[in-house]
Amino acid sequence: MITRYRSLKTCYSENPVLVIDTQSSHGDLLDAADQRLRAASDLLETLYCMCFKQADAKDIPNIVNALYLLVQDGCDLLEVAKHKQPE
């Protein structure tokens, strides 16, 4: 049996706060995944275009964490959408 709410892999707590509603429409799941993956892609493109001499080394872990959250959440959403039939 599939549970209605699936916790995100990026959840570090035993009691997840952010979850995926597996009963959401296929289109809504894909839209949410697309939003996160495009945000990650846009951030990577911005970083690619920047001169790294301007970057502060302490910002790198923050950037990596943001990218990880966006990509992992997008992948989690795609995984749920993959198992749903399009309307």
Side-chain angles (χ1 to χ4, degrees):
M1 179 178 140
I2 298 175
T3 58
R4 176 164 183 179
Y5 298 105
R6 179 177 165 180
S7 64
L8 296 167
K9 290 181 183 170
T10 55
C11 176
Y12 298 114
S13 170
E14 289 182 25
N15 299 311
V17 176
L18 299 175
V19 295
I20 299 171
D21 183 353
T22 62
Q23 293 182 9
S24 294
S25 73
H26 187 257
D28 287 345
L29 291 166
L30 289 177
D31 286 345
D34 181 68
Q35 180 184 35
R36 282 151 182 78
L37 294 172
R38 285 190 190 280
S41 177
D42 291 347
L43 179 55
L44 283 169
E45 185 175 341
T46 299
L47 293 172
Y48 177 76
C49 294
M50 281 180 55
C51 175
F52 283 100
K53 292 179 183 178
Q54 299 169 342
D56 191 331
K58 69 179 171 72
D59 292 330
I60 293 173
N62 297 333
I63 293 166
V64 170
N65 187 51
L67 286 168
Y68 168 72
L69 289 172
L70 289 167
V71 171
Q72 186 59 59
D73 290 358
C75 289
D76 287 349
L77 286 156
L78 284 176
E79 184 67 26
V80 172
K82 186 168 66 173
H83 295 291
K84 285 194 74 96
Q85 295 295 323
E87 289 85 35

